[in-house]
Amino acid sequence: MSTIVSRSGEAKSSPSLYESSMRLFLETTKLLKLDPRVALELSEPHHEIMFTITVDINNRLIEFTPEEYAQQGKDFEDLLESHFDPKYYKILASGNVSFQPRVFASSDASIRAGVIRLFGRLYHVRGRQPEQLRCYRVQHNNIRGPYKGGIRYHHEVSLDLFKMLAAEMTWKTAISAIPFGGGKGGIRMDPRNYSADEIERISSRFMYKLKPFIGPNRDIPAPDVGTNSVIMGHFFRQYSDGENEYHTLRGVVTGKDARIWGSEGREMATGRGLFYCIEEWLRHRQSPGPDQLIAPDKVSWKDVDFIVQGYGNVGSAFARIAVQRGAKLVAVNDRDGTIHNPGGIDPEDLQEHVSSATNVKHSVEGYSKARSIGLDEFWRLNAFLFVPAALGGIITAEVANKLQVKLVAEGANGPCTIEGEEALRERGIEIIPDIIANSGGVIVSYYEWLQNNRQEHWSEAKVNERLSDTIKSNYNIILDIAANRPRRTSEFNSAQYTTGKTHDMRMAAMVLALRRLEDHYKLEGFSQ
Ligand code: NAD
C-alpha cells in the first residue's frame, strides 16, 4: 500500500535542505564529543514514508487563459451570464470555481460548448474527476517517546523538507522536556484550491493510508501550515472509526477543537509561547541582572513595534497577545500582499478581514485600514521586532541586510538561511531561534495528549500557566548555556548542560537537545 523509501531517499541536488540543516547538529556533536553511536543514531530519520492518494475532485469551472480569451472570446460574446446559488459553489484562490452538480437544479445557467459565463468571466465546465496527490510522513527519532510533529498541506513540500522538519521536531521535543520524538509530514497540494468537502475527502484518504504507521503511542500528528483543528477532527474520525475502544485513541492527533477533546489554549499556543520567549528576552534586558529579574508583568512592551510575515495560526495569535500587552503591530506580509500602518494595526480587526468568507485567499491584502506596500519596503521598515511566521528560508543574506530591526523571533520553522543568519549576526540583530521560540504548540499538544489519556479537560488558565513555566525555564537554561553560566535555581538547573564556553542561542539550544537525547541512549543502552 505504501512505500517505505530507503535511506537514500529521493533524487536530490546537493546540498539538500536536510544536509544544510544538519550542519549545526554535526558541529554540536563535535563540540560535545557526543558518543559516535548516538550521533549516528540521530543523523538519519528512522522511517521515510511516501505514498500517493487518489481522490475524486468536484466539478470545476476552469477560467479561460488569456490566449483562450484572445482566440475564442468572440465566439462566446453573446453567451448569457449565469447565476449560481452560493450554497453550492466556492471560488478558489486560483480563480477557478468548485461546484456541486445540484447547482444547476437551483440556478439560472446557460452553457454552450462546455463554456459558461459567470461574474462576467468565461469558464470551461469540467466534470468530477480523480486526482492523485503525493503524501509524506518522516519519523525521525523516537528515543524519548512517540514521533510527534505537524502535517503540512502545501504545494512546495518534498521528502527533503520533511526530513529537515522531522529532525527539528526531535530537537524541539527534547528542548521542551516532553516525552516525544520527532516527525513531520503532509501532502503536496495548495489547500486553497480545494473546497471544504474536498479537503475532508483528501484528509480522510490520507489518514486511511497513514493509519498503519501512527498511533497515540507511536506517532502523533498535529496541525502545521495549511492544516487546522477541523482537519485534525477528520483525521481522528478516520483513524478511530470502527474501533471498539475508539475513546482510548483520542491522543492519536493533537490540535483538535477543544469541544472534541482538544486542549483549551492549543489554537493560540505557538503564538503564546513565542510571546513568552520574547517576554523573557525583554525581561533580561529590563532587569538589573540574571539573578535579579523583574516580574514578568513588569516587563514593558510599549517600545515594541513589530512586523510579521504570515498571518495564519502563529502570526495572528502572537500579534493579538502582544498588542494586548502594549506592543504595536505596524506591518504584515503574507503570500498575497503586504500592509503597513505606522499608527498601528488592530490584530483582531485584521483577523476578521483575513477570515471573512469573501476573502478567498484569506490574505491581509485589501485591508482598508492600512496602506498596501511592496515587499522591499516591508523588509526595510524601521521596527523593534520582526516575527517570521510563514515558511522557511525567507531570511537570506539579501533580506538580512535590508532588515532594520533589533530582534528576530522565529515563529516559523527555519526562516533563516545559513547566510542570512550570518548577516543578521554581523549586523548585531539578535535571534530567538525557532527551536525554542515556536515550541509552545508542541508543548500544549503534549498537554492535550495527557488530557486525552487521562480523560481530563483542563482550564485555559491551567494550560497557559504550565506552558509559561515550561517554556520559560527551558528558555533560561538555553540562555545559561549560551552565556556559560551554570546555575541551579528553584525553577531549573542549567549546571548539567553548560559546556565551559559561550555559544549563540541556536547552538546552546542544540547542546540542550543533544544532551537530553544522549542521556536516553547512555542510560538505556542499545539492544542488539
Ligand atoms: P498557516 O497556514 O496558518 O499560515 C501561514 C501563513 O504564511 C499565511 O498567512 C500565508 O499567507 C503565509 N505565507 C505562505 N507562504 C508565504 C510566502 N511565500 N510569503 C509570505 N507569506 C507566506 O501556518 P501556521 O500554522 O501559522 O505556521 C506558520 C509557521 O509556523 C510554519 O513555519 C510552521 O511550521 C510554524 N509552526 C507552526 C506551529 C503551529 O502550531 N501551527 C507550531 C510550530 C511551528
Side-chain angles (χ1 to χ4, degrees):
M1 186 165 68
S2 307
T3 318
I4 303 216
V5 174
S6 75
R7 292 195 163 194
S8 59
E10 283 179 332
K12 57 187 181 196
S13 56
S14 95
S16 66
L17 283 172
Y18 182 68
E19 285 161 348
S20 305
S21 74
M22 291 298 276
R23 270 173 47 169
L24 178 65
F25 163 79
L26 293 172
E27 271 175 48
T28 316
T29 56
K30 277 193 206 130
L31 168 88
L32 297 177
K33 299 193 174 57
L34 205 72
D35 181 308
R37 170 82 190 251
V38 176
L40 270 183
E41 293 278 349
L42 290 165
S43 67
E44 283 289 327
H46 287 173
H47 306 116
E48 297 166 21
I49 303 159
M50 283 204 295
F51 52 92
T52 54
I53 55 169
T54 308
V55 184
D56 282 337
I57 299 304
N58 292 348
N59 308 280
R60 284 278 190 281
L61 299 184
I62 314 281
E63 197 182 356
F64 269 35
T65 61
E67 295 75 40
E68 284 174 325
Y69 272 116
Q71 287 163 12
Q72 301 167 40
K74 270 205 160 24
D75 303 345
F76 296 98
E77 256 173 10
D78 58 340
L79 183 63
L80 293 177
E81 172 78 12
S82 294
H83 299 279
F84 276 12
D85 183 335
K87 278 205 295 283
Y88 301 124
Y89 74 89
K90 181 177 182 228
I91 304 172
L92 307 172
S94 60
N96 295 335
V97 179
S98 163
F99 69 95
Q100 312 278 345
R102 75 188 88 149
V103 83
F104 291 118
S106 61
S107 307
D108 168 16
S110 306
I111 306 180
R112 190 198 307 153
V115 174
I116 196 166
R117 181 188 297 280
L118 198 68
F119 328 116
R121 298 189 204 118
L122 292 173
Y123 296 91
H124 296 285
V125 181
R126 195 191 76 188
R128 193 175 163 103
Q129 66 178 40
E131 199 170 299
Q132 198 156 55
L133 298 165
R134 174 151 304 275
C135 307
Y136 306 84
R137 183 71 181 172
V138 175
Q139 298 170 329
H140 180 261
N141 188 279
N142 66 350
I143 186 72
R144 301 185 75 258
Y147 305 107
K148 183 87 189 82
I151 297 290
R152 180 174 292 196
Y153 289 178
H154 195 268
H155 56 289
E156 278 169 356
V157 297
S158 63
L159 182 64
D160 184 28
L161 174 78
F162 285 129
K163 281 175 70 175
M164 174 180 92
L165 295 172
E168 283 175 2
M169 287 306 296
T170 301
W171 322 138
K172 193 176 297 178
T173 50
I175 281 166
S176 306
I178 55 178
F180 290 138
K184 205 85 172 191
I187 309 182
R188 193 189 294 162
M189 64 181 279
D190 185 346
R192 302 179 316 160
N193 283 331
Y194 296 86
S195 62
D197 61 313
E198 289 168 335
I199 294 280
E200 180 173 348
R201 286 202 297 278
I202 290 168
S203 303
S204 302
R205 191 70 189 161
F206 173 70
M207 183 47 69
Y208 170 78
K209 286 214 166 180
L210 189 66
K211 185 171 173 176
F213 303 104
I214 67 166
N217 293 305
R218 189 169 176 192
D219 182 357
I220 306 155
D224 190 69
V225 174
T227 57
N228 54 26
S229 60
V230 176
I231 293 173
M232 298 307 117
H234 300 325
F235 282 165
F236 173 64
R237 182 202 59 211
Q238 180 67 38
Y239 183 86
S240 62
D241 218 9
E243 299 283 350
N244 283 334
E245 297 180 2
Y246 69 93
H247 57 283
T248 62
L249 303 174
R250 288 208 173 96
V252 69
V253 49
T254 59
K256 302 180 290 293
D257 188 304
R259 291 168 297 184
I260 55 167
W261 305 113
S263 179
E264 300 294 342
R266 172 63 183 87
E267 193 91 7
M268 299 286 279
T270 308
R272 188 173 293 282
L274 186 61
F275 170 84
Y276 289 143
C277 288
I278 300 169
E279 186 176 72
E280 283 304 283
W281 190 93
L282 291 167
R283 190 152 83 110
H284 277 268
R285 267 142 203 88
Q286 294 173 10
S287 298
D291 294 319
Q292 297 160 278
L293 292 178
I294 57 172
D297 60 356
K298 296 281 179 289
V299 170
S300 168
W301 283 79
K302 78 172 169 35
D303 295 326
V304 180
D305 49 353
F306 64 103
I307 61 175
V308 178
Q309 184 184 50
Y311 208 70
N313 175 292
V314 179
S316 69
F318 169 75
R320 281 184 275 169
I321 297 167
V323 168
Q324 261 171 19
R325 274 291 270 116
K328 184 162 77 172
L329 172 64
V330 289
V332 185
N333 160 260
D334 71 11
R335 190 165 144 186
D336 300 289
T338 312
I339 57 166
H340 176 222
N341 183 348
I345 296 169
D346 175 352
E348 301 286 350
D349 195 47
L350 180 60
Q351 183 62 49
E352 268 183 39
H353 167 78
V354 168
S355 46
S356 116
T358 52
N359 186 346
V360 292
K361 292 181 176 168
H362 297 300
S363 169
V364 298
E365 191 187 45
Y367 181 62
S368 61
K369 295 170 198 159
R371 187 172 64 94
S372 173
I373 59 168
L375 189 57
D376 190 61
E377 190 178 344
F378 174 79
W379 295 133
R380 294 177 193 278
L381 286 173
N382 240 311
F384 184 84
L385 166 70
F386 171 44
V387 172
L391 301 179
I394 51 106
I395 307 183
T396 55
E398 194 189 342
V399 167
N401 283 319
K402 291 178 185 172
L403 282 171
Q404 301 298 326
V405 296
K406 293 194 168 45
L407 175 66
V408 172
E410 296 181 337
N413 281 312
C416 291
T417 64
I418 290 168
E419 299 76 25
E421 181 156 357
E422 271 165 21
L424 287 180
R425 207 166 289 140
E426 274 166 24
R427 297 190 53 224
I429 299 175
E430 290 201 37
I431 304 171
I432 304 181
D434 52 359
I435 200 162
I436 177 80
N438 67 25
S439 63
V442 76
I443 293 172
V444 175
S445 276
Y446 166 54
Y447 302 156
E448 179 173 337
W449 181 79
L450 274 183
Q451 291 169 73
N452 291 162
N453 289 349
R454 299 173 181 176
Q455 318 271 330
E456 288 179 0
H457 193 72
W458 303 355
S459 70
E460 188 176 352
K462 176 171 174 169
V463 170
N464 291 348
E465 194 186 326
R466 273 192 77 155
L467 170 63
S468 168
D469 289 350
T470 303
I471 207 163
K472 286 178 182 175
S473 65
N474 288 317
Y475 179 92
N476 279 294
I477 294 173
I478 294 170
L479 213 58
D480 281 358
I481 298 170
N484 190 30
R485 187 173 50 218
R487 277 193 301 168
R488 193 182 190 114
T489 74
S490 54
E491 277 100 39
F492 62 86
N493 175 7
S494 60
Q496 53 191 321
Y497 303 114
T498 46
T499 65
K501 293 184 189 150
T502 59
H503 307 286
D504 65 46
M505 282 281 277
R506 206 184 295 282
M507 183 172 256
M510 187 59 100
V511 167
L512 178 61
L514 294 188
R515 280 290 184 230
R516 284 184 173 158
L517 284 154
E518 186 187 38
D519 284 345
H520 278 265
Y521 284 109
K522 276 194 170 162
L523 298 173
E524 292 167 20
F526 298 96
S527 56
Q528 302 303 323

